[in-house]
Amino acid sequence: MRRSILHLTIILTLLLGLSLLASISWQWLVPGEWFKCPLQGMWCLPVFYLATTYNPELPNYTVNSPEAVTAIVWDYRGLDTLFETSVFYLALIAGIALARGASYKLPTGGELGLSKIVKTVSRLTLPMIITVGASIGLHGHLTPGGGFQGGATAAVAFMVAIVVFSIVFLVEHGVSKDRMLVLRSIGLTGIGLTAVTLFFAGLVLGKNTYVFQNMAKPFAELSFPWEVNGALISGTLWFFNLFEFLAVTAGFTIAFMLLAMSDAGSEEGVRHE
């Protein structure tokens, strides 16, 4: 008991000490006055982001998206987001490699999953979860959300299915880690192609363009369409969210399935055991 109190005291002391240090030294940890905008009293970079995210009066800088977070994630710092997505993809590859040879083994005897009441309710709610996830992902350029948040939400449906119906339910309905890996690869490939589409179009047309270019920029006149039939898609943002939604949904589903695996064997053994 005394040792636990001592450990808790040490942890709280360290946290309070770090908080005090950060409070005292904040003026040395943030950008100096040279980086501030004199009129707004703020730093120039966030002012630029907020002023150009959706501003038709600045056609050479605007992202044409009212959702600033998505614009920053997929336009202003798009390469960083691409690398994060790639790391997630490689982590899944490593997980699959470690779980190679594992399978979804059908238990003998008894009914799989939870009660019929829970299963009935889940059959109604699972499509709703996927629909909400798709809405969050595909409207991420208009409202808070995005492909990652939408994909994580949709993947909850597969996790619930594993808990309520068992892992066998997914396998027997055609959801396997290999197929999810294909879907994950399609999502990552789509993100990569969207990132370089205007760059290669510029090479073909003999015009200057940039990787991860969305709308036209100074000295780069090519743009993705910012609307289709009157619907705002904000250029690359809708496509990035779509492919990220697919990639994240498949990625988390693979992780859930790996965690739900039991003994070694083959996936076909689920159907024939």
Side-chain angles (χ1 to χ4, degrees), residues 94-155:
I96 292 174
L98 292 174
R100 184 174 53 186
S103 68
Y104 324 109
K105 191 173 182 180
L106 180 63
T108 57
E111 185 177 355
L112 298 177
L114 303 181
S115 67
K116 291 184 178 180
I117 296 177
V118 178
K119 290 181 178 179
T120 301
V121 174
S122 298
R123 291 181 188 277
L124 297 175
T125 57
L126 291 181
M128 298 180 186
I129 295 174
I130 296 177
T131 301
V132 170
S135 177
I136 294 173
L138 300 181
H139 288 85
H141 62 294
L142 302 174
T143 57
F148 189 95
Q149 296 88 333
T153 301

Side-chain angles (χ1 to χ4, degrees), residues 37-243:
C37 296
L39 296 179
Q40 294 88 346
M42 297 175 61
W43 290 283
C44 290
L45 190 59
V47 170
F48 174 80
Y49 285 165
L50 294 176
T52 59
T53 298
Y54 188 67
N55 192 342
E57 296 182 1
L58 296 173
N60 289 331
Y61 291 99
T62 185
V63 184
N64 280 321
S65 171
E67 178 37 49
V69 175
T70 299
I72 292 172
V73 168
W74 280 119
D75 193 306
Y76 298 132
R77 45 148 278 180
L79 281 175
D80 187 54
T81 305
L82 177 64
F83 292 144
E84 292 175 355
T85 303
S86 300
V87 169
F88 184 31
Y89 178 82
L90 294 175
L92 286 172
I93 295 296
I96 292 174
L98 292 174
R100 184 174 53 186
S103 68
Y104 324 109
K105 191 173 182 180
L106 180 63
T108 57
E111 185 177 355
L112 298 177
L114 303 181
S115 67
K116 291 184 178 180
I117 296 177
V118 178
K119 290 181 178 179
T120 301
V121 174
S122 298
R123 291 181 188 277
L124 297 175
T125 57
L126 291 181
M128 298 180 186
I129 295 174
I130 296 177
T131 301
V132 170
S135 177
I136 294 173
L138 300 181
H139 288 85
H141 62 294
L142 302 174
T143 57
F148 189 95
Q149 296 88 333
T153 301
V156 171
F158 297 94
M159 181 182 67
V160 172
I162 292 174
V163 174
V164 174
F165 299 98
S166 83
I167 183 68
V168 180
F169 176 84
L170 293 183
V171 177
E172 291 181 343
H173 284 78
V175 180
S176 67
K177 65 178 185 295
D178 292 334
R179 291 179 179 177
M180 288 294 103
L181 185 60
V182 171
L183 184 61
R184 171 74 180 169
S185 301
I186 291 174
L188 190 64
T189 301
I191 291 173
L193 291 177
T194 303
V196 299
T197 295
L198 285 185
F199 174 75
F200 285 113
L203 293 179
V204 173
L205 299 175
K207 297 181 179 181
N208 186 45
T209 51
Y210 302 97
V211 174
F212 265 96
Q213 181 172 324
N214 183 8
M215 298 291 104
K217 298 294 186 290
F219 310 108
E221 58 187 85
L222 296 183
S223 287
F224 265 80
W226 64 277
E227 66 174 1
V228 175
N229 293 329
L232 185 66
I233 65 172
S234 302
T236 60
L237 300 190
W238 187 86
F239 296 98
F240 280 135
N241 279 333
L242 169 64
F243 292 122

Side-chain angles (χ1 to χ4, degrees), residues 11-23:
I11 293 174
L12 291 176
T13 303
L14 290 175
L15 290 176
L16 292 174
L18 291 174
S19 299
L20 179 62
L21 179 63
S23 300

